[in-house]
Amino acid sequence: MARFTKPTGTQDILPEDQAYWAHVLKHVTELAQRYGFQRLDPPVIEHTELFARGVGDATDIVEKEMYTFKDKGGDSLTLRPEFTAGVVRAYIENGMQVLPQPVKLYSIGPLFRYERPQAGRFRQFHQFNAEIFGTPDPLADLEIMLLAWDVYAGLGFTSLSFQLNSTGCPACRPGYVEALKAHYVANDAHICEDCRRRLDKNPLRVLDCKQPTCQPVIADAPKISDYLCAECQAHFTTLRQYLDSLNRPYTINHRLVRGLDYYTKTVFEVWAEGIGAQAAVCGGGRYDGLMALLGGPPQPGVGFAVGIERTVLLLKSQGVTVPELPTPPVFIAYVGESARLQAVHLLVAVRNAGIGAQMAMSGSLKAQLRQADKRGARLLLILGEDELARGEVTLRDLSQATQETVRFDDVLAALRTRL
Ligand code: HAM
């Protein structure tokens, strides 16, 4: 029979990788709590229309990358390709606008995009996502960026690059788009087919084009910073002043537009070397129109998401060591059938006392001792039939290379003093 393989673009997160995952997830969770974010887990499936409207019909995500299906009741559902639209939906549906503002929420979990798999790009991947609702103040943008900084600084990375831009708002962006289109029309002979198409459907995305032919056209393109309205300009200036004052280095990137339609004003990404073609380990920005677009109160929002796979890849490629996951310190070995049952009783008692323990399921004493060694046990309890008849067990401390006989009733206390 043909063997099953995992679907393209998915991965098994194997036991040897779990220490990295546990380290990153513990770190981001602690940070989110330290910053005053509360956890919200939206469902993995949402109504397709939520993403079509929220992320934008003309985005790559909605046009090409969603896992969409009809359920047995005939509803069109989609495996979430990102968190933001679902979190905004949950905020509206649960009437969270009555909570003290701003509301700060974080989420962790899997997402799905039908993308071309490459190093660091998967079809099932995970994010740590954080959103702040209810304030237009650039302090909220700062808070989100500080959190992003702390995610990476706290994991031990130093050479990451923060890319920053403002994409304006419905008042000033149309003027910029007009100028951008005029520039592209004037350079029509030099642009790629994709950009010609983008110009109609999603004009800002031309700035993101990787085709060599388009690079000179992008370099000469008008810059959105010259078209921002007074409000967007003031917002951007204040955010930059905060970042400067806190000594957080960033690069203004006029080409940074991001692949989701909801952004207004601030957009940012964190870029890293060494994780393959996909350089962005995190990205986010402000989205002041999304809540109203999804039928909620006209409240502003700002947020970002960290790609966990890319962060783990980066930890590995930079040789960062992470704490090992705990393994049971106690191993119980036995000789003979009656000792075996006693060993099970002891195993249960040790575990009930809150101490990690394992025992062999079969094998000679020698084989059991080898197993204990392979499993990294520190303390070995050996139950032989003679010792048991005397109500005793042998306790061997593998790290100290010492051994003693302990009364059955004293085993837990003896283990505790050695752990
Ligand atoms: P995004 O830039 O699409 O933004 O994704 C954020 C991060 O998720 C990326 O920087 C990357 O690390 C990771 N990521 C995205 N796609 C993949 C993939 N196919 N494979 C592996 N990692 C991936 C958003 O999703 C926005 N919702 C972020 C946000 C929150 N904006 C405001 N609030």
Side-chain angles (χ1 to χ4, degrees):
M1 197 168 94
R3 287 201 312 176
F4 289 107
T5 55
K6 56 189 178 303
T8 304
T10 64
Q11 51 171 0
D12 299 313
I13 305 164
L14 296 170
E16 58 260 35
D17 279 337
Q18 294 292 345
Y20 289 96
W21 279 76
H23 183 61
V24 173
L25 295 179
K26 180 166 177 266
H27 173 61
V28 295
T29 304
E30 278 174 8
L31 270 182
Q33 287 165 355
R34 196 188 304 166
Y35 271 71
F37 284 76
Q38 291 182 303
R39 182 157 174 161
L40 185 147
D41 293 313
V44 171
I45 46 174
E46 297 273 3
H47 292 289
T48 304
E49 184 54 23
L50 176 73
F51 299 116
R53 206 176 321 159
V55 174
D57 268 330
T59 58
D60 280 354
I61 293 180
V62 172
E63 261 193 352
K64 306 182 205 156
E65 297 173 359
M66 296 208 304
Y67 283 88
T68 294
F69 59 96
K70 279 232 155 65
D71 73 4
K72 296 212 188 307
D75 286 335
S76 179
L77 298 177
T78 293
L79 295 184
R80 63 186 180 201
E82 62 119 37
F83 272 117
T84 310
V87 176
V88 171
R89 194 255 328 122
Y91 178 97
I92 300 168
E93 192 169 346
N94 293 287
M96 294 173 93
Q97 70 270 20
V98 302
L99 297 175
Q101 301 288 322
V103 172
K104 297 158 72 172
L105 300 169
Y106 77 97
S107 310
I108 296 173
L111 304 127
F112 304 85
R113 294 183 193 175
Y114 189 81
E115 294 199 79
R116 201 160 48 80
Q118 304 176 22
R121 189 195 278 174
F122 303 97
R123 291 183 179 170
Q124 178 178 338
F125 61 99
H126 297 72
Q127 285 181 349
F128 162 66
N129 183 86
E131 314 285 1
I132 302 180
F133 297 114
T135 173
D137 200 294
L139 258 186
D141 309 49
L142 177 74
E143 175 98 328
I144 284 292
M145 290 188 74
L146 289 179
L147 180 55
W149 248 290
D150 279 351
V151 167
Y152 292 102
L155 288 172
F157 299 123
T158 47
S159 61
L160 299 177
S161 138
F162 275 77
Q163 306 283 314
L164 182 65
N165 195 15
S166 173
T167 54
C169 69
C172 55
R173 194 182 300 155
Y176 173 65
V177 167
E178 217 170 282
L180 188 65
K181 280 186 172 169
H183 173 71
Y184 269 72
V185 168
N187 285 280
D188 189 62
H190 310 289
I191 63 174
C192 74
E193 212 33 64
D194 275 348
C195 280
R196 220 162 265 138
R197 209 172 43 84
R198 283 184 191 119
L199 221 47
D200 272 341
K201 298 181 78 177
N202 207 350
L204 288 187
R205 294 295 288 179
V206 296
L207 297 171
D208 217 13
C209 181
K210 304 290 179 298
Q211 290 295 331
T213 46
C214 291
Q215 300 314 305
V217 184
I218 297 172
D220 286 346
K223 295 182 173 50
I224 192 156
S225 52
D226 297 330
Y227 290 79
L228 295 179
C229 61
E231 190 193 314
C232 288
Q233 194 65 260
H235 187 95
F236 200 40
T237 305
T238 308
L239 175 62
R240 291 182 57 182
Q241 281 166 352
Y242 291 154
L243 293 170
D244 293 339
S245 148
L246 287 157
N247 273 329
R248 295 298 196 277
Y250 57 88
T251 304
I252 297 290
N253 181 345
H254 300 289
R255 296 179 53 171
L256 186 70
V257 288
R258 312 238 331 113
L260 305 102
D261 275 357
Y262 45 64
Y263 291 111
T264 52
K265 297 193 171 87
T266 314
V267 288
F268 75 98
E269 282 183 355
V270 178
W271 290 1
E273 304 281 328
I275 51 165
Q278 298 304 306
V281 284
C282 114
R286 178 166 277 285
Y287 48 88
D288 289 347
L290 182 59
M291 184 100 55
L293 185 70
L294 296 179
Q299 284 193 333
V302 55
F304 82 120
V306 166
I308 307 290
E309 281 79 0
R310 290 185 195 176
T311 305
V312 166
L313 277 170
L314 201 58
L315 280 173
K316 288 181 167 178
S317 76
Q318 299 206 351
V320 178
T321 51
V322 298
E324 279 179 30
L325 291 178
T327 51
V330 174
F331 194 94
I332 303 177
Y334 53 89
V335 189
E337 200 47 40
S338 61
R340 185 176 147 97
L341 188 56
Q342 283 291 350
V344 178
H345 280 276
L346 189 57
L347 180 71
V348 171
V350 172
R351 286 178 179 162
N352 284 346
I355 302 171
Q358 312 183 75
M359 69 179 271
M361 310 262 161
S362 63
S364 66
L365 181 62
K366 207 167 150 202
Q368 295 180 46
L369 298 190
R370 261 203 312 272
Q371 251 200 61
D373 186 47
K374 282 204 186 115
R375 288 170 186 269
R378 280 165 49 205
L379 298 172
L380 193 63
L381 291 169
I382 306 171
L383 282 74
E385 294 191 330
D386 294 348
E387 289 140 309
L388 278 178
R390 294 197 302 271
E392 293 173 347
V393 296
T394 300
L395 170 57
R396 194 178 284 175
D397 190 326
L398 297 169
S399 56
Q400 309 286 319
T402 57
Q403 176 168 313
E404 65 189 291
T405 306
V406 181
R407 297 223 30 97
F408 212 88
D409 292 341
D410 299 332
V411 168
L412 293 180
L415 290 177
R416 280 206 189 93
T417 58
R418 280 166 185 76
L419 289 171

